[in-house]
Amino acid sequence: MATPSTPSPSPTPRPSGAEALYARYAGRLPASLDRLAGPAHGVVELPLHIAWSGLRSYDLDRPRLRMGLYRTVLAEGRHEDLLRLLDRDLLLAQWPVLRTLVSRHIRQAWENAFPELNPGGSAAA
């Protein structure tokens, strides 16, 4: 005697690749830009978990190197790295250009969390 089959519950939908990337970057963010307490001048040596090949030493007084450091830390840094290596004022000053150099997922995570970074958002400091 056959019994009616009960449909199995559908599995929980997995987030898309874009959603996973966004969540990855959003989960690293500081609670406030004021928590970014990194240096504003001098040479910074990135740890291997951030810069495992290529340039690891960046002179913050050289604009191109500073931009490269920020781009690398935003993409590869952990929460603690963001707090220790990024400076609030430098991030705000560089953001108009930096936002064009990072991935869409990084840009959206930061601009959604901090309206002062969003070109259409508040200019409050």
Side-chain angles (χ1 to χ4, degrees):
M1 176 169 167
T3 59
S5 64
T6 317
S8 62
S10 60
T12 305
R14 296 182 69 176
S16 70
E19 292 167 332
L21 278 173
Y22 177 85
R24 172 183 171 195
Y25 294 118
R28 299 176 182 177
L29 297 176
S32 160
L33 291 181
D34 292 332
R35 301 275 324 270
L36 301 177
H41 300 283
V43 176
V44 174
E45 181 92 12
L46 293 180
L48 283 172
H49 69 269
I50 296 177
W52 55 90
S53 69
L55 189 61
R56 288 190 52 220
S57 185
Y58 294 83
D59 184 347
L60 295 177
D61 297 312
R62 297 180 59 192
R64 285 185 73 158
L65 290 177
R66 182 175 57 236
M67 193 71 69
L69 176 130
Y70 273 63
R71 183 179 180 193
T72 302
V73 172
L74 288 170
E76 305 298 337
R78 301 171 185 155
H79 173 79
E80 301 79 26
D81 299 318
L82 301 175
L83 302 179
R84 187 173 50 84
L85 296 169
L86 302 181
D87 174 81
R88 175 194 180 276
D89 294 335
L90 286 179
L91 179 69
L92 288 170
Q94 294 183 123
W95 191 255
V97 173
L98 188 57
R99 71 182 304 275
T100 68
L101 302 175
V102 297
S103 75
R104 172 176 50 99
H105 312 292
I106 294 171
R107 181 176 59 252
Q108 288 175 342
W110 281 83
E111 290 179 353
N112 289 345
F114 306 111
E116 60 264 48
L117 294 176
N118 193 328
S122 166

